[in-house]
Amino acid sequence: MPALTTSQSSSPSNSIIIQHDSASDFLAVAYPTLRRHEASANIVLAHALKRVTTEAAMAGFQFICDDDVEDWMSCADAQSLAPHRNSESFWLTMWNTSSSSAPTLELVLSCVNWTLGEYPIFLWTPQSQNALTTTWIAPRVAKIAEHLRFCVPSERVFSVFGMTPLVKAFSRYWSDMTGHAIEAEPFYSAYFSYCNVDTFKDSEAVLPEGHRLRRARLADLEQVAQLCKEFADDSVQFPLVIEQARIEARELISKRQIWVYDAQGDISTICAVTRNTHRISAITKVYTTPRWRRRGCAEFLVREVTAKLLYDCGKESVILYVGHENSAQKVYDRVGFAGLCGKDKPAGVEDSLELGFIGTTRGHW
């Protein structure tokens, strides 16, 4: 990809950036577009929905339409259009405001935190990956990066995650602008995949006697925490001490967001589902402790959880990210997740990347 320039002429014409200092403010304008792309927008949408009331998430935002967005933008205050510091969670949205049509959402940047600290910067666009040309990407990531520089200290941006072309372009520009070199190795190179009722693959395999697939209970806290720690330690970039793992495990259990493979009281495998929107659920953590590997535990559990989400909960699709070199692709492929193990990649299966920056303050996800 050619080098990005900082010249004013590189900025996309007819575009504005709005800074949203609350999830409600962000969803009030972005929700119609996010709803149309609910699967690919899962990270930015789910993180925002967690920060609003249940009533707003389940009812209020469901009735926002594009006309409401145009009305909102016509009344936007000057502060939202100017970059300003925010040490908490916020979102940047870039809009094409051509006079010939209604405002069009082109790019979202989220800068949010959670129980264990700061999340990476997440980038999302409704554009398909095939449409992400250098000509389209370069001026937009330059403009949103320049805006972000005035919102947070550069040390806050420890990594950025999103579709590969966006992340590569943003990271180069951000590194040149701030002086924070890009880490030599990507933090995460992954496929974004999905499973729905058309791709799901059932199995006639039977669980061993005495083994169960179930939601985790508080009585499982120590075992679940240990597996959460092992999962994080495997990532190298975002390890956890056991005290942090207990905090995460307790939150997952209390919110009923984690399932376990129970081998007669020995928890072999965990499967967490932490990003849920109206039609989409994301499997965000699958881990089998080493002594139980190669026995099919993960496949049993992932298939069970995926089936429950699709058939019992009525989700349109279950999504996940899996590393390019992760052997778990075979498990997910056998369950019915699309475009893995070298197979043709249908629309909706995307290449994703997380790049880190040297000299920053590491968060966790």
Side-chain angles (χ1 to χ4, degrees):
M1 182 179 292
L4 304 178
T5 68
T6 59
S7 66
Q8 190 65 30
S9 62
S10 70
S11 296
S13 60
N14 301 316
S15 71
I16 61 170
I17 293 177
I18 300 176
Q19 182 170 338
H20 309 273
D21 292 326
S22 72
S24 295
D25 187 58
F26 167 61
L27 292 170
V29 287
Y31 192 82
T33 304
L34 299 174
R35 178 173 52 205
R36 287 193 288 269
H37 303 272
E38 194 172 332
S40 69
N42 173 262
I43 290 179
V44 294
L45 177 56
H47 285 168
L49 288 173
K50 288 179 182 180
R51 289 165 167 78
V52 299
T53 65
T54 301
E55 181 179 3
M58 298 302 295
F61 293 114
Q62 299 293 328
F63 298 102
I64 295 175
C65 64
D66 291 321
D67 289 341
D68 298 319
V69 174
E70 196 165 5
D71 291 342
W72 186 97
M73 293 186 69
S74 67
C75 301
D77 60 69
Q79 181 180 1
S80 66
L81 298 175
H84 50 275
R85 284 296 174 116
N86 187 330
S87 60
E88 300 298 326
S89 296
F90 66 92
W91 295 258
L92 302 180
T93 56
M94 177 178 285
W95 300 82
N96 184 309
T97 56
S98 170
S99 58
S100 62
S101 61
T104 303
L105 181 61
E106 294 190 319
L107 192 61
V108 173
L109 181 152
S110 75
C111 181
V112 298
N113 53 31
W114 70 301
T115 306
L116 294 181
E118 309 287 357
Y119 275 120
I121 298 298
F122 294 113
L123 291 175
W124 177 78
T125 177
Q127 296 283 331
S128 68
Q129 196 151 19
N130 291 336
L132 293 179
T133 63
T134 301
T135 302
W136 190 92
I137 294 173
R140 288 165 177 80
V141 298
K143 190 168 185 176
I144 208 162
E146 289 167 1
H147 195 108
L148 179 64
R149 182 175 59 169
F150 292 101
C151 301
V152 293
S154 61
E155 293 79 13
R156 163 63 182 87
V157 184
F158 61 88
S159 72
V160 57
F161 180 77
M163 282 195 286
T164 297
L166 278 180
V167 169
K168 286 183 175 180
F170 178 93
S171 298
R172 290 173 185 170
Y173 194 92
W174 184 260
S175 179
D176 288 345
M177 183 170 59
T178 65
H180 291 290
I182 301 171
E183 294 275 3
E185 295 296 326
F187 284 3
Y188 195 32
S189 299
Y191 296 118
F192 172 85
S193 181
Y194 65 86
C195 181
N196 56 36
V197 293
D198 295 322
T199 67
F200 180 77
K201 302 173 186 175
D202 208 346
S203 171
E204 296 181 357
V206 179
L207 279 173
E209 186 176 353
H211 291 201
R212 297 177 58 205
L213 308 173
R214 59 173 176 81
R215 270 202 175 95
R217 302 186 289 255
L218 276 177
D220 305 315
L221 178 62
E222 287 303 315
Q223 290 194 74
V224 171
Q226 180 59 37
L227 268 63
C228 285
K229 182 184 186 312
E230 291 176 16
F231 175 86
D233 291 349
D234 264 6
S235 73
V236 180
Q237 308 297 345
F238 302 105
L240 288 177
V241 297
I242 191 62
E243 291 79 12
Q244 292 173 308
R246 286 194 189 99
I247 292 171
E248 181 183 25
R250 184 178 294 276
E251 181 173 308
L252 291 171
I253 293 170
S254 65
K255 292 182 177 179
R256 297 173 58 80
Q257 293 178 334
I258 190 162
W259 281 258
V260 297
Y261 185 114
D262 180 350
Q264 296 181 315
D266 191 0
I267 303 301
S268 73
T269 306
I270 55 175
C271 178
V273 182
T274 61
R275 294 196 304 268
N276 298 285
T277 58
H278 184 59
R279 296 173 296 167
I280 306 294
S281 284
I283 291 177
T284 54
K285 189 194 305 284
V286 177
Y287 181 79
T288 300
T289 197
R291 69 180 182 279
W292 278 99
R293 290 178 185 170
R294 302 186 184 280
R295 304 192 200 185
C297 299
E299 184 173 340
F300 271 118
L301 188 58
V302 170
R303 181 175 283 110
E304 173 76 3
V305 171
T306 302
K308 283 186 177 296
L309 293 169
L310 292 176
Y311 298 104
D312 295 350
C313 301
K315 294 296 181 179
E316 180 180 294
S317 184
V318 179
I319 62 171
L320 53 73
Y321 292 93
V322 57
H324 288 169
E325 307 301 325
N326 193 335
S327 61
Q329 280 192 50
K330 297 176 183 177
V331 172
Y332 303 142
D333 174 68
R334 289 194 292 266
V335 171
F337 285 86
L340 303 178
C341 297
K343 295 181 179 178
D344 290 341
K345 293 175 174 49
V349 175
E350 301 169 347
D351 199 48
S352 302
L353 182 67
E354 181 182 8
L355 294 178
F357 298 97
I358 295 171
T360 56
T361 304
R362 190 73 55 85
H364 185 83
W365 76 305

